[in-house]
Amino acid sequence: MYKHKIYTMSFARVYPLLVSKVERKGRTKSEVDEVIRWLTGYTQEELEEQLKKQIDYETLFKEAPHLNPSRTLIKGVVCGVKLEDIKEPTMQEIRYLDKLVDELAKGKSMDKILREK
């Protein structure tokens, strides 16, 4: 089975880029962590351990303690593709995270990002 190159990309290498993206817009690393924890169910300690282990994106989601069922409420377009049209589960999870980080960088309130209201 063909795996997209992003699956094997080290999440630990991408993570600082996600943090940098939101910090340029006045948001924080702790908010990025909150979004990741919401999406995956990792505790802060578990997330930090995964970053230390240099896991790839596929492992990040494969080992996630509890993927949030509300993640299916995340709609929109990432990289020109509608999230709900992505058929491959791992790629959809990756794009959900991308969309959440984009919303954070655009200044959306955390309760809306986390689909609480």
Side-chain angles (χ1 to χ4, degrees):
M1 179 177 149
Y2 171 76
K3 287 193 177 183
H4 197 279
K5 192 173 162 181
I6 196 168
Y7 291 14
T8 58
M9 186 180 301
S10 168
F11 180 67
R13 290 187 68 191
V14 175
Y15 175 78
L17 301 174
L18 300 176
V19 172
S20 177
K21 177 178 184 172
V22 303
E23 286 180 340
R24 284 192 306 268
K25 301 294 185 170
R27 302 305 285 260
T28 66
K29 173 190 174 296
S30 64
E31 289 175 307
V32 172
D33 290 353
E34 184 177 353
V35 163
I36 295 168
R37 291 191 319 264
W38 177 87
L39 182 62
T40 62
Y42 287 110
T43 65
Q44 185 64 35
E45 295 76 24
E46 291 168 333
L47 175 58
E48 289 171 10
E49 183 61 31
Q50 294 292 48
L51 289 166
K52 285 180 195 169
K53 291 189 326 190
Q54 300 282 317
I55 61 164
D56 56 33
Y57 264 109
E58 184 173 33
T59 304
L60 177 74
F61 292 107
K62 189 177 184 181
E63 294 184 358
H66 177 73
L67 293 172
N68 193 314
S70 294
R71 73 191 186 288
T72 60
L73 299 174
I74 303 168
K75 306 289 183 202
V77 177
V78 175
C79 297
V81 178
K82 288 176 70 174
L83 291 172
E84 50 271 30
D85 291 345
I86 300 171
K87 302 295 183 219
E88 206 293 309
T90 302
M91 182 57 72
Q92 190 170 48
E93 301 301 340
I94 292 167
R95 296 307 182 201
Y96 282 153
L97 179 55
D98 289 345
K99 183 67 174 174
L100 294 174
V101 170
D102 285 350
E103 290 175 354
L104 189 58
K106 289 179 181 175
K108 253 190 171 180
S109 67
M110 194 57 87
D111 63 328
K112 289 187 180 182
I113 294 169
L114 302 183
R115 302 336 194 233
E116 294 173 354
K117 290 185 180 184

